Amino acid sequence: MFVDSHCHLDCIKLDEFEDDFDVLMQRCLAAGVDHMLCVAIDLDKYPRMLRLVQHYPQVSVSAGVHPMADPDKDVDLATLRAVADSNSVVAIGETGLDYYYDRLDRAAQQQRFRTHVQCAVDLGKPVIVHTRDAGEDTLAILREENASQCGGVIHCFTETMAFAEKALELGFMISFSGIITFRNAEALREVARQVPERHLLIETDSPYLAPAPHRGKQNHPAYVRHVAQQLAAIRDTSVEQIAAITSANYFRVFGRC
Ligand SMILES: [Zn+2]
C-alpha cells in the first residue's frame, strides 16, 4: 500500500527487532509498506547496506555520499559512476547542501553536490537532494548542472512554497517526512497542501525524524503511515488515495527494480 521513498535501513538499531533485520522487514511489510528506497550515505558502509537488503525485492537502493559525511569520504565522478552504473541502483544520493551543521566547508559541499548531479545526468538516474539553510545555492547548482535532465526529489522537504515552485520547474518531486506531523510545522503543512498531486512523495528518513505519535523514538518505515495520514488530513482526502498517488509517483520516477 505505501512506498517509503527515503529510509536508511542499515542505520536502524535492531534491538527492538530481536536483533534481526528480517524481523524489521516483516514488521514493515505487515504494516502495508510494499516498497522502500534505502538511501546510501557513504561508500564505506555501502557493501554492508547492499548485503542487508539483497534478499528483499521490496527494497531499492541509491548510491552516493551524504553532504554531512566526513571530508575524507569524498568521492570523484569516476568512482561514483562506477558504483552507480548498475541496474540495481535506482537513484544517486543522497546529496545536497547542509549549511545548518556546516560539518564540511561550503565549497567542498558544493563540489560534492555537483559531482552527484553530474553523475545523475550522465547515467539518467534521479538525484536525491538534501537541503538545509541552503535553498538558493541548492537551486543554483541544480540549474547549473542541468538537473532537469535527470529529475529527482527534494527529500524531507522543509522549504517554502516559493522554493517548491522552483524545484517543480526543474521537474523535481517533493517528499514529505514526519516533520509534517510536528505541532510547530503549520507553514510546512500549508506547502504540503499546495504541491501538485503528481509531484508528491512520502518518506520516513528513518531512523531519524519519527512522526507523531512516536516523536523522539527511533523511526522505521512502518511509521510512514503516519505521514500519509497527516497528508490525507491536510489535503482533505483519504489515506488510501495518498498511498495510491505517492506509490504511483514513486514508481514513475524511480522504476520498479
Ligand atoms: Zn536521509
Side-chain angles (χ1 to χ4, degrees):
M1 179 175 187
F2 300 109
V3 174
D4 183 352
S5 75
H6 190 116
C7 55
H8 302 284
L9 293 171
D10 56 321
C11 300
I12 294 176
K13 292 198 192 75
L14 294 173
D15 36 349
E16 62 181 288
F17 304 100
E18 302 166 32
D19 289 318
D20 186 343
F21 186 76
D22 295 329
V23 172
L24 165 63
M25 285 289 94
Q26 292 316 321
R27 195 85 57 88
C28 296
L29 298 173
V33 183
D34 300 329
H35 204 87
M36 292 151 259
L37 175 50
C38 185
V39 175
I41 50 178
D42 74 39
L43 296 183
D44 297 351
K45 298 193 186 99
Y46 198 60
R48 176 179 171 266
M49 183 187 109
L50 294 182
R51 268 199 311 279
L52 266 180
V53 305
Q54 66 186 343
H55 298 304
Y56 288 95
Q58 300 92 343
V59 179
S60 298
V61 298
S62 72
V65 179
H66 194 284
M68 276 152 35
D70 293 339
D72 61 318
K73 305 247 167 126
D74 229 345
V75 63
D76 60 70
L77 182 56
T79 305
L80 181 60
R81 198 185 189 291
V83 175
D85 191 10
S86 150
N87 284 337
S88 61
V89 173
V90 303
I92 308 303
E94 72 182 88
T95 183
L97 300 174
D98 195 312
Y99 295 169
Y100 181 81
Y101 286 111
D102 260 337
R103 202 169 291 170
L104 181 62
D105 80 71
R106 293 182 181 190
Q109 287 193 41
Q110 290 165 11
Q111 189 48 52
R112 188 184 278 177
F113 183 26
R114 285 183 194 279
T115 299
H116 283 74
V117 181
Q118 287 161 7
C119 181
V121 169
D122 206 16
L123 295 176
K125 297 187 183 194
V127 64
I128 301 166
V129 177
H130 166 116
T131 182
R132 190 160 185 201
D133 289 355
E136 285 306 310
D137 287 0
T138 297
L139 288 167
I141 288 176
L142 289 175
R143 285 195 206 98
E144 286 163 23
E145 300 295 344
N146 304 308
S148 59
Q149 290 177 23
C150 59
V153 55
I154 308 297
H155 108 87
C156 194
F157 193 85
T158 53
E159 299 289 324
T160 61
M161 193 61 209
F163 179 103
E165 275 161 6
K166 290 179 186 130
L168 294 171
E169 280 167 23
L170 290 165
F172 271 61
M173 309 298 287
I174 307 291
S175 181
F176 290 100
S177 69
I179 293 177
I180 62 168
T181 69
F182 294 177
R183 197 186 301 253
N184 60 358
E186 205 45 62
L188 185 61
R189 282 189 282 275
E190 184 52 30
V191 178
R193 194 178 64 75
Q194 294 179 57
V195 168
E197 193 170 286
R198 211 177 142 76
H199 289 265
L200 276 179
L201 292 173
I202 52 174
E203 66 173 76
T204 56
D205 201 12
S206 46
Y208 318 106
L209 294 170
H214 305 288
R215 194 170 177 184
K217 298 197 192 117
Q218 174 170 255
N219 199 3
H220 61 88
Y223 292 164
V224 78
R225 171 181 297 273
H226 300 291
V227 180
Q229 280 168 345
Q230 179 64 263
L231 200 52
I234 293 167
R235 296 173 69 99
D236 197 19
T237 183
S238 65
V239 177
E240 291 74 17
Q241 185 66 10
I242 292 295
I245 291 164
T246 54
S247 297
N249 286 345
Y250 172 85
F251 289 115
R252 190 179 70 248
V253 173
F254 295 98
R256 282 263 159 202
C257 90

